[in-house]
Amino acid sequence: MDVQPAAGAGGGGAEIPTCYRHPGRETYLSCVRCGRPACPDCLRSAPVGQQCVDCIRAGNQGVRRPVGVFGGPAASRATVTFTLVALNVLFYLAEWVYPRTVDYLAMVGSLHDPAVHATIGVAHGQYYRLLTSAFLHEPGLSGFGPAHIIFNMWALLVVGPPLERLLGHARFLTVYLLSALGGAVAFYLLAPVNEPSLGASGAIFGLFGAYFVVARRLRVDSRAIV
């Protein structure tokens, strides 16, 4: 590796150079880009020689970050998808440990809860239910049982990763949450006011709709989603 000696390093009476960021450290190394003396802690390997951290930072500011097909930052990993799956599983386990989790977080418009001797629901200011209900699934072995969360998480793992890589993490999460919220609002407006609801289906169907739009834009086959 080439190292450019700092100016004034040679000569019997020359002053010993010090690091421009750490004046107390003597050094005979310097940045090949700006020429300033710098200690090893302030230098980074470059294609030729070493550059100081400030020059590297300035160079990175002019580098354009890769973007996805639809303008968002490119995503190489489905981090949000796997995080959403983990959250749904954690909420499902919480339901087994404490069944009342469903009563506190499920979507319901207005319902009298005899356990707390109060009327609960979105109509009474519990707006968080519009989103928390999307992370709950059929508890225990009643109804669909474990098949409810298994099917929803399987569908999320099928459509989530490719869509997240195309949209980017932030846009993908926005689509997911807005779909969950939209489904809950529609349920609140159309279903009986005392009818409870839970599940990630609304969010996942929203991802299906987004995938159809993306597939049409990119002219790719979407029959697998059907």
Side-chain angles (χ1 to χ4, degrees):
M1 178 179 299
D2 297 333
V3 177
Q4 178 180 338
E15 182 181 354
I16 298 177
T18 59
C19 176
Y20 78 98
R21 298 179 73 236
H22 304 95
R25 298 183 184 180
E26 299 178 356
T27 180
Y28 288 98
L29 304 176
S30 64
C31 173
V32 298
R33 186 170 181 178
C34 67
R36 292 178 296 183
C39 66
D41 291 339
C42 298
L43 292 172
R44 300 292 184 269
S45 298
V48 178
Q50 295 178 314
Q51 294 183 12
C52 65
V53 291
D54 289 340
C55 287
I56 292 176
R57 187 180 300 112
N60 290 337
Q61 290 178 354
V63 178
R64 295 183 60 184
R65 295 184 178 181
V67 297
V69 179
F70 296 92
S76 59
R77 298 181 179 179
T79 306
V80 176
T81 298
F82 296 129
T83 301
L84 290 172
V85 171
L87 287 175
N88 278 274
V89 172
L90 286 175
F91 272 93
Y92 186 67
L93 294 177
E95 294 172 25
W96 279 88
V97 176
Y98 187 60
R100 289 281 294 173
T101 301
V102 175
D103 299 329
Y104 292 137
L105 301 178
M107 172 60 204
V108 64
S110 178
L111 178 67
H112 180 73
D113 187 351
V116 296
H117 305 288
T119 304
I120 62 173
V122 175
H124 304 282
Q126 297 177 341
Y127 303 113
Y128 58 85
R129 293 176 179 269
L130 295 169
L131 280 180
T132 56
S133 59
F135 293 92
L136 302 177
H137 289 84
E138 193 77 29
L141 301 176
S142 61
F144 291 106
H148 189 201
I149 187 172
I150 290 174
F151 177 80
N152 276 343
M153 294 304 99
W154 170 78
L156 179 56
L157 289 173
V158 169
V159 72
L163 192 58
E164 183 176 351
R165 283 190 286 266
L166 289 171
L167 298 179
H169 301 310
R171 295 188 179 193
F172 173 79
L173 180 60
T174 300
V175 171
Y176 186 91
L177 294 179
L178 286 180
S179 299
L181 181 61
V185 170
F187 184 87
Y188 176 72
L189 295 176
L190 301 176
V193 68
N194 61 344
E195 183 75 18
S197 172
L198 45 76
S201 302
I204 293 173
F205 275 108
L207 296 183
F208 285 164
Y211 189 89
F212 279 119
V213 174
V214 169
R216 182 176 180 85
R217 171 75 178 274
L218 300 179
R219 298 181 181 180
V220 297
D221 189 2
S222 60
R223 287 179 294 180
I225 298 300
V226 176

